[in-house]
Amino acid sequence: MFDSLTGNVRRFATALAREAGGLPVGSVRDAPPAPGEGFLLLTYTFGSGQVPDSTAAFLREHGAGLRGVVSSGSYHWGENFGRAGDRIAAQFGVPLVARLNKGGTAADRAAVLAWLAGQGKESSAAWVSPVVAERTNEWIPGLN
């Protein structure tokens, strides 16, 4: 599940899903159906470290399924860089999987894919294809 204001998080989420073997990707803004067993949330940081209202609303309804969070921001915000992820992780007791500068990098995608692949057998099967480990270093033109 993702929430994106400028398109950076959406692009990261779709590239990640493609590299993970075609995982389904849904936006919290499109009145999504409740995610299945569990989900990784990718979101942005608003203002000086706030959780976006749309992300907060989604989590109020679907937070029980949250397994981890990836947060986007910009380095120029200093200590508030990606802080929405810290706040969500603390509130829901889940790991902050990654903090992305803007749209993230291939290395960021590799780190998130590695986290997904390391999840428990029962939950990761729904999220990651068996070829993820082989694809984490794949270069995709225009997305890195």
Side-chain angles (χ1 to χ4, degrees):
M1 297 302 304
F2 74 89
D3 193 1
S4 186
L5 182 65
T6 64
N8 286 331
V9 177
R10 177 186 48 79
R11 284 187 294 275
F12 185 88
T14 55
L16 183 71
R18 183 175 38 249
E19 290 181 35
L23 294 176
V25 178
S27 169
V28 304
R29 294 167 182 256
D30 295 331
E37 299 171 0
F39 61 92
L40 174 66
L41 175 69
L42 296 89
T43 191
Y44 63 99
T45 298
F46 190 74
S48 57
Q50 289 85 19
V51 174
D53 289 342
S54 49
T55 297
F58 175 82
L59 288 171
R60 279 192 295 277
E61 209 171 314
H62 305 289
L66 183 64
R67 299 295 179 260
V69 62
V70 173
S71 178
S72 175
S74 178
Y75 288 146
H76 82 270
W77 283 99
E79 67 182 28
N80 289 322
F81 164 60
R83 181 161 281 181
D86 296 317
R87 293 176 184 212
I88 293 167
Q91 180 180 351
F92 290 89
V94 299
L96 175 62
V97 176
R99 196 176 276 129
L100 314 173
N101 185 47
K102 300 180 182 177
T105 65
D108 293 326
R109 288 193 308 277
V112 176
L113 287 168
W115 180 83
L116 287 170
Q119 294 305 293
K121 244 184 188 177
E122 63 285 345
S123 62
S124 65
W127 295 352
V128 184
S129 79
V131 296
V132 165
E134 297 171 21
R135 294 180 146 186
T136 56
N137 292 321
E138 181 180 344
W139 180 74
I140 299 176
L143 296 177
N144 297 309

